[in-house]
Amino acid sequence: MEAPLLYRLARRLEEYARLMRLDRPIGIYLLLWPTLWALWVAGNGHPAPRLLVIFVVGVIVMRSAGCIVNDFADRNVDPHVKRTRARPLAARRVSATEALVIFVLLSALALLLALQLDFFTLELAGIGAALTVLYPFAKRYFAFPQLLLAPAFSWGSWALCRASPGSCSSRPSCGSSSTTRSMRWSIATMT
């Protein structure tokens, strides 16, 4: 006898949440910390509520998309690693096609968020998205992949400083300084 539809749907959604690692929010916090820091600095202590919503939701969405890309890239390795073998894609509870569909949906949501910003910030968001996708594949070829992960984790700081009205958007050094500090912090916490 097959389980009721609502039960099966709830189980699928639970697996998708695990795929996005929503059950392990520490990664969101690690991304959110430098983003919120940059938001407060860029807003001179008074962040714009609109940017707060766009960037907080953007962090959650892009971190989730990054987890999916990472698991997709490692889907044939993770089943052989004790720490990762229970992940939904590694355990084959979620198919590669399902993972890619969810990744595309999250990417579309991230694009919708980025479209609320100016064109230059949209370009920066595109670079950040590319870094998110490249990292899982780069870790196979570089001995110190954190050098790519750090900009991916920190790119929101630069985009945020550019998107913020007032002093930071007119001073590129604000975004560079914020991103550099954030990258150092990312390397220190990811190593």
Side-chain angles (χ1 to χ4, degrees), residues 2-178:
E2 193 171 38
L5 177 65
L6 288 178
Y7 175 80
R8 287 179 301 173
L9 182 60
R11 293 291 302 172
R12 291 309 309 148
L13 293 176
E14 187 178 316
E15 290 298 338
Y16 296 158
R18 283 193 182 118
L19 177 66
M20 296 183 282
R21 299 219 189 70
L22 295 177
D23 60 326
R24 297 173 183 252
I26 187 65
I28 292 171
Y29 303 149
L30 289 172
L31 280 166
L32 202 52
W33 180 254
T35 302
L36 291 175
W37 175 79
L39 184 63
W40 259 259
V41 169
N44 293 319
H46 303 284
R50 179 176 153 272
L51 291 179
L52 177 66
V53 170
I54 289 170
F55 278 88
V56 168
V57 173
V59 161
I60 295 166
V61 168
M62 284 308 297
R63 190 274 184 154
S64 298
C67 289
I68 292 172
V69 167
N70 185 70
D71 286 359
F72 181 81
D74 293 341
R75 70 189 179 280
N76 295 321
V77 175
D78 282 350
H80 307 288
V81 178
K82 185 177 181 180
R83 183 179 64 82
T84 59
R85 72 174 52 131
R87 290 180 179 169
L89 202 51
R92 305 300 192 244
R93 293 189 310 270
V94 172
S95 72
T97 303
E98 286 176 294
L100 289 176
V101 167
I102 296 168
F103 172 77
V104 168
L105 292 173
L106 289 170
S107 298
L109 179 55
L111 178 60
L112 285 174
L113 290 167
L115 286 171
Q116 307 307 307
L117 305 168
D118 65 70
F119 184 73
F120 183 67
T121 307
L122 180 61
E123 288 180 322
L124 290 175
I127 294 168
L131 290 170
T132 300
V133 171
L134 287 175
Y135 166 73
F137 300 98
K139 66 184 180 180
R140 289 173 168 63
Y141 304 104
F142 297 113
F144 199 52
Q146 290 86 346
L147 292 178
L148 186 61
L149 184 63
F153 259 58
S154 307
W155 206 258
S157 298
W158 198 9
L160 198 144
C161 282
R162 177 59 184 101
S164 293
S167 61
C168 270
S169 61
S170 62
R171 287 188 351 239
S173 63
C174 173
S176 319
S177 172
S178 176

